[in-house]
Amino acid sequence: MAGRNFLFVPGPTNVPDRVLRAMVVPMEDHRSPLFPELTRACLAGLKPVFKTTHGHPIIYPSSGTGCWEAALTNCLNVGDKVIIARFGQFSHLWVDMAVRLGYEVEVIETPWGEGAPVERYLAALSADKQHKIKAVLVCQNETATGVTSDVAAIRQAMDSVKHPALLFVDSVSALASIDFRMDEWGVDVCVSGSQKGLMLPAGLGVTCVSPKALAAAKSANSRRCYFDYNDMVQANASGYFPYTPSVPMLYGLRESLAMIAEEGLENILRRHSYLAGGVRAAVHEGWKLKLCAVAPKWYSDTVSAVMVPEGFNGADVISRAFKRYNLALGAGLSKVAGKLFRIGHLGDLNELMLLGAIAGAELAMLDVGIKIEPGSGVAAAQNYWRQHAPAAAKAGMAA
Ligand code: PLP
C-alpha cells in the first residue's frame, strides 16, 4: 500500500529516525574494554527518567513481562502474599503470573474503566495486622482501558498504616510519558519496557529496583536464574552484563535517552498531556463518543480507549483502518474485545501525526456505518490544541 503505515497502537510506538540510525551498528565484543562506556551511559541516563538517585536501573534482554517476573521472583519467598487491583488485561496478566508462580494473590476486583481503588488497598493493608502482605502491586497505566492510577496515593495508604510491604509498579505504558517518581513515591520496583515512552523497538525489559528490594533479593527464596537481580547488579558494576546483551538496542537506548534529556522530561510529560487533551476533545466533542475510562481522574495521557456505539464492533473499525487506510489502531482486549478501539498517543509524536490517526479513525468509523460528523474529531482536536498551545507556540498565532 502506498504511503507510510500510521502506527497508533499504544506500543510499540514510532521509533525516531535518529534512534533507528543509532541502532545500525556492526556487532562488537560485549566484553571489550570499551563496552562499559555504553552500559554506563544507558544506566546513568535511565536514572532521571525513573526520577531516582538511590534506585538501580536494570536492563534485561526481554520485554516488560520479564520485569514483572523479575520483581516477583527476586523479592518474594515462595508462597508469599501479594495484593493487586485488577481492572484491565495487563493488571490481569500480572495477577495470572503471580498465581502461576505460586504466590498467594489477593485480587481487588475493580470495574474496567476505573483505576486502582486506593481506599480498598488501604482497607486490605490496615486489616493485615500481621503483615502477611509482602508486596503491593499496582498498574500505573492500564493500557487496555486507557486508565491511569494514582501511585503516590497508594504509597500514602501504605505509609498511613505503616505497612512494610514492598511497592511494585507497572509503568510499562507510563514511564517517560506520564509522571513517575521512583524515590518520592517510595517505589521498590518499577517495571517497564523499551517499546513505549522510550521510543525503541520491543526487546528490552527496563526496570528499576530500590535498595530495599535489592536487600530482599539477597535472601528471597523463590527460584530464579536468568532474571536474578544480584547477578545483574554485580556484572553492571563493572559495566558488563551477565550474558550477551543486545548491542544495537543499547545504542538505541543511549540515543533515545539523549533525546529525552534534550527535550526535557517535564516538557515530554507536558507534551503528552497536551496531545492527549486533543484526542479526548476529538472523542467527546467531535465524535460524541465515550472513553472506556469512566471519569476524568482516570484519563490516560498515553492511550485513549474509544467505546464504539452499541451495535457496532470495534474490531471492524480497526480492520477497516488497517486494510483501507494503513492505520494501526489498538484492539479491545479480553473483556472489552469488540467494544472499543484504542489510539496510542505516546512516544515520538506531534499534533500532525495525531491528526492523521484521528482522521483515519474517523474515515474507518464512517465506512463501517458509525454516525459521526466527518471532520468533527479533527476540528475538535485542532481547536483544543490552539487553545492549549504552549506559550512559545502561541507567539505565532493570530489573535
Ligand atoms: N504492562 C502493561 C501496562 C502493558 O501495556 C504491557 C504491554 O503492552 C505489559 C505490561 C507487557 O509488556 P511487554 O509486552 O513488553 O512484555
Side-chain angles (χ1 to χ4, degrees):
M1 197 185 284
R4 288 192 86 131
N5 174 250
F6 270 60
L7 181 63
F8 280 87
V9 295
T13 63
N14 297 289
V15 179
D17 291 350
R18 214 177 121 176
V19 173
L20 285 175
R21 280 195 294 271
M23 293 178 63
V24 183
V25 287
M27 288 310 104
E28 65 182 78
D29 177 13
H30 60 285
R31 303 196 197 281
S32 85
L34 295 180
F35 197 76
E37 230 178 88
L38 177 60
T39 308
R40 292 200 175 110
C42 291
L43 295 176
L46 280 171
K47 281 193 158 202
V49 175
F50 285 108
K51 295 194 175 168
T52 188
T53 50
H54 314 304
H56 283 257
I58 289 178
I59 303 163
Y60 291 113
S62 73
S63 67
T65 303
C67 301
W68 274 345
E69 182 155 336
L72 297 166
T73 58
N74 275 278
C75 303
L76 300 174
N77 289 323
V78 175
D80 270 355
K81 181 168 178 182
V82 304
I83 182 170
I84 176 171
R86 168 159 55 192
F87 43 79
Q89 180 64 1
F90 293 100
S91 40
H92 163 70
L93 288 173
W94 208 4
V95 168
D96 179 59
M97 174 188 277
V99 170
R100 284 159 64 180
L101 288 171
Y103 303 103
E104 184 188 337
V105 186
E106 181 174 337
V107 181
I108 304 175
E109 296 293 356
T110 306
W112 290 33
E114 294 179 17
V118 177
E119 62 300 338
R120 291 176 64 202
Y121 272 91
L122 176 62
L125 290 164
S126 63
D128 180 34
K129 301 287 181 232
Q130 291 174 335
H131 295 162
K132 289 210 165 126
I133 297 170
K134 300 300 177 195
V136 173
L137 280 51
V138 56
C139 182
Q140 184 185 5
N141 191 71
E142 176 49 83
T143 323
T145 56
V147 157
T148 301
S149 291
D150 186 349
V151 177
I154 301 281
R155 163 49 69 195
Q156 276 163 17
M158 294 171 71
D159 289 351
S160 72
V161 292
K162 296 195 170 39
H163 202 291
L166 295 162
L167 176 58
F168 298 168
V169 178
D170 172 338
S171 193
V172 173
S173 56
L175 190 73
S177 38
I178 293 172
D179 199 17
F180 174 82
R181 305 178 186 193
M182 181 92 186
D183 289 358
E184 191 181 318
W185 297 344
V187 175
D188 292 297
V189 181
C190 175
V191 168
S192 199
S194 50
Q195 76 275 23
K196 309 223 181 211
L198 293 174
M199 307 177 287
L200 290 160
L204 296 181
V206 180
T207 190
C208 193
V209 184
S210 75
K212 185 173 162 190
L214 274 186
K218 292 257 184 276
S219 59
N221 69 10
S222 299
R223 289 207 172 178
R224 60 192 179 273
C225 175
Y226 190 77
F227 287 112
D228 199 303
Y229 287 158
N230 294 313
D231 292 352
M232 191 57 103
V233 169
Q234 242 175 30
N236 284 173
S238 54
Y240 295 99
F241 285 83
Y243 32 70
T244 319
S246 169
V247 175
M249 286 295 284
L250 293 179
Y251 278 107
L253 177 60
R254 186 171 71 176
E255 193 66 16
S256 78
L257 291 170
M259 289 181 71
I260 290 170
E262 282 164 29
E263 185 175 352
L265 184 58
E266 298 310 315
N267 291 331
I268 292 173
L269 304 181
R270 272 193 289 276
R271 172 167 56 81
H272 279 81
S273 167
Y274 157 80
L275 290 174
V279 176
R280 290 192 286 264
V283 175
H284 290 139
E285 286 146 43
W287 303 334
K288 317 279 185 222
L289 295 178
K290 289 198 168 95
L291 289 172
C292 182
V294 294
K297 69 172 176 173
W298 305 124
Y299 289 170
S300 164
D301 283 343
T302 59
V303 50
S304 293
V306 184
M307 306 299 292
V308 293
E310 202 69 35
F312 291 93
N313 189 336
D316 294 337
V317 177
I318 294 162
S319 166
R320 182 71 184 172
F322 191 77
K323 291 188 184 143
R324 170 73 179 87
Y325 301 108
N326 212 0
L327 165 66
L329 297 168
L333 303 172
S334 171
K335 258 193 200 182
V336 286
K339 296 189 178 160
L340 56 81
F341 65 86
R342 293 175 298 151
I343 302 175
H345 33 86
L346 73 164
D348 184 43
L349 206 63
N350 62 21
E351 294 94 331
L352 296 194
M353 291 162 84
L354 259 177
L355 284 173
I358 293 168
E362 238 164 48
L363 285 164
M365 282 193 283
L366 287 162
D367 289 354
V368 303
I370 298 176
K371 303 238 169 316
I372 54 164
E373 187 61 36
S376 59
V378 168
Q382 287 177 334
N383 283 329
Y384 179 92
W385 288 325
R386 280 174 46 74
Q387 278 160 25
H388 295 83
K394 281 207 162 120
M397 280 183 192

